[in-house]
Amino acid sequence: MELDANLVKEKIETYREDKNCAQSTLMGLCDVAGLPTEELATLATGFGGGIGGTFDEGTCGAVTGAVMALGFLGADGEQISSCAKGLFNAFKEEYGSVTCGAISKNGEDKSPCVEVCVFAGEKVCELLKE
């Protein structure tokens, strides 16, 4: 599936105004794909703040939201797993970690949140093209 990365970026930025990172990333990707988003917001709620607000132990919501989106957008299990691994590796290379706490200073600095959500969304767009 091919998604417009610019539109994904726009949607993620808009959703991030009042949604957590997992919700914003999942909803932005799925919205552009034409999927309903309100149910997805509920699905992703518990993944914010590094899974339930665990911050220093939990995976960044941008990553979990993007992986959930891959489950909806991937062609099959093999593509979904391959893209999820590619996303994980690219995210870790870019930010040095996939944990929310390392990126957000245990939730004290959420300034990188929009950037990491957009990065994850754009990476999914790129990986789904391959």
Side-chain angles (χ1 to χ4, degrees):
M1 171 177 276
E2 191 165 327
L3 298 173
D4 181 335
N6 291 323
L7 189 52
V8 167
K9 176 184 186 288
E10 224 175 86
K11 294 287 186 177
I12 288 172
E13 289 172 343
T14 299
Y15 285 124
R16 189 62 188 97
E17 290 173 10
D18 65 344
K19 302 291 184 195
N20 71 38
C21 291
Q23 291 171 315
S24 302
T25 307
L26 174 62
M27 293 169 72
L29 285 159
C30 290
D31 190 351
V32 172
L35 298 171
T37 58
E38 284 311 308
E39 294 84 3
L40 298 176
T42 303
L43 174 71
T45 300
F47 291 93
I51 303 178
T54 57
F55 295 107
D56 64 333
E57 296 177 346
T59 304
C60 172
V63 175
T64 56
V67 171
M68 284 189 280
L70 284 168
F72 289 111
L73 305 174
D76 56 38
E78 186 177 315
Q79 184 190 33
I80 293 165
S81 292
S82 175
C83 288
K85 184 176 183 178
L87 169 67
F88 181 92
N89 290 334
F91 194 94
K92 189 172 182 178
E93 183 176 317
E94 182 73 17
Y95 296 103
S97 178
V98 296
T99 61
C100 177
I103 294 164
S104 70
K105 296 185 175 107
N106 291 324
E108 294 175 21
D109 178 13
K110 295 185 180 180
S111 63
C113 292
V114 172
E115 176 190 327
V116 298
C117 292
V118 168
F119 177 87
E122 290 176 338
K123 184 53 71 174
V124 165
C125 292
E126 178 186 318
L127 291 165
L128 286 173
K129 284 182 189 178
E130 295 175 2

